[in-house]
Amino acid sequence: RFDENNSAFISYGHSFNPPILYQVYRNSARISPNPDLKPETTNTWEVGYKHHDQNLTWDVTLFHAKTQDLVSLMAPEGKPRAYYNSSSDLVRRGIEFGTQYRFNQNWSAYANYALTDAKVLRYPASSRSFRRAMGCQTLAGPPRQHLCQ
């Protein structure tokens, strides 16, 4: 804390996300079960600055998060069924701005904006072929999204 109205912060977090049951045990005509799925793990860092005065608060935060063993749907070429696998890595980083104005004891307004850059670091080729086989298309313009029909 710099003074009564200004402070900086840094935080680190480690989390895990176990696979969803249907990703582990689903057995259908199109998808095989995979009981060996690993949990996704994420390490997150945040560094920020916060200002607060009588009615106005604003903050800015830089963040970086890396997820390992991201679960994705795989469709090996020549095989009739797909399966879920822990085989992708993902990095998200960006900046977030927030502000809050307190009109009185009962009313306040809050606005937030985040600019995020996300990149898949490791993405199996068989997942890409599966997306093409399912009719997925990349939508033009930011943010980049995928549309599957």
Side-chain angles (χ1 to χ4, degrees), residues 73-83 125-127 129-130:
L73 192 57
M74 308 281 288
E77 299 215 15
K79 302 250 178 163
R81 298 198 306 170
Y83 63 95
S126 57
S127 291
S129 64
F130 176 76

Side-chain angles (χ1 to χ4, degrees), residues 31-94:
I31 297 178
S32 297
N34 184 358
D36 298 324
L37 278 178
K38 295 185 270 184
E40 300 172 347
T41 57
T42 303
N43 293 309
T44 305
W45 284 94
E46 291 185 339
V47 176
Y49 177 82
K50 184 179 270 193
H51 173 80
H52 175 76
D53 62 25
Q54 189 173 8
N55 294 321
L56 178 68
T57 301
W58 61 266
D59 59 79
V60 60
T61 305
L62 299 170
F63 62 89
H64 180 273
K66 182 176 182 184
T67 300
Q68 294 179 301
D69 297 322
L70 186 69
V71 174
S72 58
L73 192 57
M74 308 281 288
E77 299 215 15
K79 302 250 178 163
R81 298 198 306 170
Y83 63 95
Y84 289 96
N85 195 15
S86 304
S87 57
S88 299
D89 292 342
L90 174 68
V91 169
R92 297 170 308 284
R93 61 182 149 239

